[in-house]
Amino acid sequence: MTIDIEAIRAFSDNYIWAMHDGRHCVLVDPGEAPDALDFLKRNNLRLAGFLLTHHHADHIGGVDEIRTHRPAPAWGPPDSRMPDRVSPVREGDRVEIPELGLAFSVIETPGHTRSHIAFHGHELLFCGDTLFSAGCGRLFEGTPTQMQRSIDKLADLPEPTRVYCAHEYTADNCRFAVQVEPDNEALQARCDDVAELRRNDRITLPSTIGDEKAFNPFMRTRRPAVAHAARQREPDCGQTPEAVFGVIRRWKDAA
Ligand code: ZN
Ligand code: FE
């Protein structure tokens, strides 16, 4: 059985990932309902469930409306800000979707929000706003140390793991990343590819964990070149990966 993963575009730069086998479908982070409902109808798919990474409206805003038309179970972090009737899942829990023959394990990735989670299985990673291609989420509710640990967990996944993040931020992230690592050839190549894709209004995702380790500065805080760039920016920052991470994140926030 083959599983297709298609992007449903939402808002200006969100992707709702639709994972399906031609009969059943799982929706990841549906921030709005109309296009997701249309996708299910057009492709004649039954909704098997929702995977939800965090409570922000652009990730959960469509859940209630979709469910009034297509009742289905939902899994997400234990957080009172989540919609009603979301089964809370924690680090190491498994989410089973028997209709699609899929199972995902839950990875807690605090930093962007304090209860953010990611779903991993079948060499697929749905990581919401924790890891972006060539970037990472803003630290709304967490510290650089927390986010560094979260990103470290994702970096430990097998390198072929495909990374499905929730936003099309790659071109902007590439522009920033070259300031951090101007001599990184893998990054240069990624920037060129992304520029070409975006010129044609194409999606830059998924990438892979192996790719991200080669060019994402937030996955490279132990690399001398990245630590060096951080020290240039904040000379007293210290050398721990967490400190370097904090500098790079503040730098990106100000960029
Ligand atoms: Zn978010
Ligand atoms: Fe978001």
Side-chain angles (χ1 to χ4, degrees), residues 13-14 54 56 58-59 112 128-129 132 166-167 169:
D13 50 35
N14 279 75
H54 68 295
H56 285 161
D58 62 310
H59 298 254
H112 177 67
D129 290 354
F132 295 126
H167 288 270
Y169 288 160

